[in-house]
Amino acid sequence: MRVPFLDLRLHHEPLQTELQTAIQEVIESGAFAGGPFVARFEEDFADFCQTRFAVGVGSGTEALWLTLLAYGIGTGDEVITVPSTFMATVEAISFCGAQPVFVDIDERTYTLDPQLLERAITARTKAIIPVHLFGQMADMDPIVEIADRYGLRVIEDACQAHGAEYKGRKAGSIGGAGCYSFYPGKNLGALGEAGAVVTNDQSLYGKIQTLRDHGQRAKYRHSCIGWNARMDGIQGAVLRVKLRTLARGNDSRRAHARRYGQHLGGREDLIAPTEAAYARHVYHVYAVRVKGRDQLLSALAERGIFCGIHYPIPIHLQEAYRGLGLGRGSFPVAERCADEFLSLPMFPELTPEQIETVIRELESQLVSAKSLHESVV
Ligand SMILES: Cc1ncc(COP(=O)(O)O)c(C=O)c1O
């Protein structure tokens, strides 16, 4: 049996008619760039995230970048985040002229380790971006407590955490702002690129609305220098349809994670993901940790089981950030995890049979790897 890493066609099949009707409405109205379809999605998404406001933008990267700009962060400022993330988190910091400063991750949740946070703060620090990696939120209480003590902004990177919770509070609703990506493969994905910022802060909301639309408050009246970062009308309409299926999709992901965990949880040669006591994990990615990850990935692919790696190189070791002068050994947990992470197939439509197949093949590869190792030793 072939098990894909992700199957978006299967995900969209039952929504075909609703999606086509929604797209047709946009075509008939002509509201393609921003407009009422985006505004309606913004209302629904703010409700979903338990925030007062949401602003639709072109991508998660723009959501992060515009939030930093709206907070006035730029040249000479430092922003703290983790090296264990997708490039965009750090790129957004650099793109507004600020300096990224890294803090290592917690070995159990793979999110910013609050115990290491305070020592990274300097007189130049302006903000902290905790990343809710793989669908599990960072430990927000101590992060917010430290941020408040130093007068720092907290911007949640919720790009992998649609519907995730921290002590019953939704991702994006705890910091000053939460940034979302609706890249197609996300738990809530558009049919193209899109993103959003959610916030309870009316002033921040107004600034991001202006920045995403060339600094315009009224047509051809530019109060500041902005950008074209509007969400497409079609994506707003599509996301509004798909938002209704998000909670159900997340429940399925959680059920799949339980099934994986029942078999893989007790093994000595593999570390399965854990859900922190404070968290509701939504398993955007189900990443286990194993030694010899690359060989295992290829062996599984040969047997029709397609896995992923999120992410093979932590950001401080990327060529683009060589200038920071942070070599191997700077963030040992993030580095170890990058060497060991293996993302198993995870999407709502996975069947119990497919999950059993992944488990069986994975277990059998681990057993052969062990006997090979023993015969060599
Ligand atoms: C943690 C994280 N931050 C930021 C982004 C950027 O989002 P986008 O691809 O929509 O620009 C992503 C998307 O993959 C992400 O996973």
Side-chain angles (χ1 to χ4, degrees):
M1 181 191 287
R2 192 179 172 280
V3 188
F5 180 65
L6 172 69
D7 191 339
L8 284 177
R9 237 177 18 172
L10 214 55
H11 186 60
H12 289 131
E13 228 164 54
L15 299 172
Q16 284 281 357
T17 313
E18 265 187 285
L19 289 173
Q20 276 165 4
T21 308
I23 292 169
Q24 190 59 34
E25 259 187 81
V26 181
I27 293 171
E28 279 163 22
S29 79
F32 293 113
F37 297 96
V38 172
R40 268 177 241 150
F41 169 67
E42 288 171 338
E43 260 179 51
D44 289 358
F45 194 60
D47 273 355
F48 179 83
C49 292
Q50 305 164 340
T51 56
R52 288 177 66 202
F53 310 106
V55 197
V57 293
S59 66
T61 310
E62 284 182 342
L64 288 158
W65 178 54
L66 294 188
T67 303
L68 288 161
L69 288 179
Y71 274 142
I73 293 166
T75 310
D77 297 332
E78 290 177 1
V79 177
I80 296 174
T81 191
V82 286
S84 210
T85 183
F86 179 59
M87 178 69 170
T89 316
V90 190
E91 225 169 26
I93 299 169
S94 303
F95 228 62
C96 70
Q99 178 84 0
V101 172
F102 298 111
V103 166
D104 211 346
I105 52 169
D106 173 86
E107 179 115 35
R108 284 185 64 249
T109 63
Y110 311 135
T111 62
L112 190 147
D113 185 343
Q115 297 201 20
L116 305 175
L117 177 57
E118 209 163 342
R119 70 184 77 150
I121 296 173
T122 72
R124 293 173 168 222
T125 309
K126 289 290 182 316
I128 303 163
I129 308 185
V131 179
H132 305 323
L133 198 73
F134 299 158
Q136 172 150 255
M137 288 181 66
D139 191 0
M140 292 304 289
D141 280 350
I143 294 172
V144 169
E145 187 273 315
I146 294 168
D148 287 349
R149 201 145 33 80
Y150 287 86
L152 308 176
R153 306 288 191 184
V154 176
I155 301 166
E156 295 175 56
D157 184 333
C159 289
Q160 300 188 3
H162 313 71
E165 291 177 13
Y166 178 85
K167 300 183 182 174
R169 298 166 73 188
K170 284 267 166 52
S173 70
I174 299 177
C179 299
Y180 279 92
S181 162
F182 304 118
Y183 182 77
K186 302 293 184 188
N187 290 25
L188 176 59
L191 299 183
E193 305 276 358
V197 181
V198 296
T199 183
N200 291 312
D201 177 342
Q202 187 152 17
S203 153
L204 184 77
Y205 170 61
K207 281 183 190 157
I208 296 174
Q209 273 188 319
T210 311
L211 282 171
R212 74 166 167 185
D213 191 19
H214 302 290
Q216 295 182 96
R217 287 242 168 78
K219 199 166 168 88
Y220 303 133
R221 305 269 165 174
H222 306 272
S223 58
C224 65
I225 300 168
W227 199 252
N228 177 359
R230 294 177 300 245
M231 181 188 277
D232 288 347
I234 284 181
Q235 302 310 343
V238 159
L239 284 166
R240 197 153 173 257
V241 170
K242 291 187 68 180
L243 179 57
R244 294 181 213 127
T245 71
L246 175 59
R248 200 172 349 118
N250 283 345
D251 287 346
S252 301
R253 286 172 186 270
R254 288 176 56 76
H256 301 337
R258 269 197 302 278
R259 198 176 279 262
Y260 273 138
Q262 276 159 9
H263 289 84
L264 304 176
R267 295 191 69 96
E268 280 180 5
D269 49 4
L270 174 149
I271 301 172
T274 46
E275 185 175 55
Y278 62 66
R280 186 172 198 275
H281 199 319
V282 291
Y283 297 99
H284 170 56
V285 168
Y286 187 91
V288 298
R289 283 169 56 196
V290 278
K291 304 275 184 225
R293 182 265 322 275
D294 293 340
Q295 296 90 311
L296 190 55
L297 177 85
S298 316
L300 287 170
E302 274 170 27
R303 311 202 46 94
I305 313 290
F306 297 94
C307 299
I309 302 176
H310 301 88
Y311 297 93
I313 305 173
I315 306 298
H316 66 288
L317 299 179
Q318 292 285 353
E319 191 186 343
Y321 281 110
R322 210 169 31 196
L324 294 176
L326 297 164
R328 226 174 210 283
S330 307
F331 303 101
V333 183
E335 290 165 22
R336 194 161 54 246
C337 288
D339 290 341
E340 296 176 358
F341 275 147
L342 178 73
S343 312
L344 305 188
M346 174 55 84
F347 53 92
E349 298 74 18
L350 266 180
T351 63
E353 294 72 32
Q354 285 177 312
I355 296 173
E356 300 305 330
T357 305
V358 175
I359 293 166
R360 199 176 49 247
E361 294 293 348
L362 178 60
E363 286 179 336
S364 121
Q365 291 303 323
L366 288 169
V367 169
S368 356
K370 185 164 180 261
S371 46
L372 181 67
H373 177 74
E374 281 167 357
S375 70
V376 171
V377 173

